[in-house]
Amino acid sequence: QVQLVESGGGLVQPGGSLRLSCAASGSIFSIDAMAWYRQAPGKQRELVALFSSVSRTDYADSVKGRFTISRDGAKNTVYLQMNSLKPEDTAVYYCNARILVGVRWGDYWGQGTQVTVSS
């Protein structure tokens, strides 16, 4: 069994910063890409940032230059540093990872962490 546990969400004023963390644990043989998604009320879930197995990163246009994704392979952990936060960044943020368990690759999700940007 595999778990993704997120932390670091909260309430922050516009212009502020937050750092999200997501740790994968369980019967993990290998991890491919790890990513962060978000879902705002009434909107579809969208990709925010991705860190591939070959250390390539990709970002949604709306967060480029403000958010940075990083990864600690030894800890099976992915981070999202969010700077210059805007009210439109308010959403539930979800961690996602493609993980090899035994001989099967699977797509796993965290429970989500709320980020609220408001004065």
Side-chain angles (χ1 to χ4, degrees), residues 3-4 6 35-37 45 94-97 107-112:
Q3 280 191 317
L4 298 181
E6 299 128 334
W36 288 96
Y37 286 74
R45 190 173 296 189
Y94 296 90
C95 175
N96 169 266
D107 210 22
Y108 294 86
W109 292 88
Q111 79 285 358

Side-chain angles (χ1 to χ4, degrees), residues 6-77:
E6 299 128 334
S7 61
L11 173 64
V12 63
Q13 291 186 341
S17 298
L18 281 175
R19 188 189 193 214
L20 305 183
S21 299
C22 171
S25 63
S27 304
I28 297 170
F29 186 77
S30 181
I31 300 179
D32 189 6
M34 299 186 81
W36 288 96
Y37 286 74
R38 68 185 180 187
Q39 188 167 19
K43 295 188 176 182
Q44 289 189 331
R45 190 173 296 189
E46 64 173 353
L47 176 67
V48 176
L50 180 143
F51 196 109
S52 78
S53 59
V54 293
S55 300
R56 173 185 168 182
T57 58
D58 198 11
Y59 296 92
D61 287 343
S62 59
V63 307
K64 282 180 181 176
R66 300 188 298 122
F67 290 11
T68 302
I69 189 170
S70 60
R71 181 170 167 177
D72 185 335
K75 296 181 179 179
N76 290 335
T77 299

Side-chain angles (χ1 to χ4, degrees), residues 74-96:
K75 296 181 179 179
N76 290 335
T77 299
V78 65
Y79 306 94
L80 186 68
Q81 178 66 44
M82 305 185 293
N83 298 329
S84 302
L85 282 161
K86 304 175 181 180
E88 51 263 44
D89 294 319
T90 295
V92 178
Y93 284 70
Y94 296 90
C95 175
N96 169 266

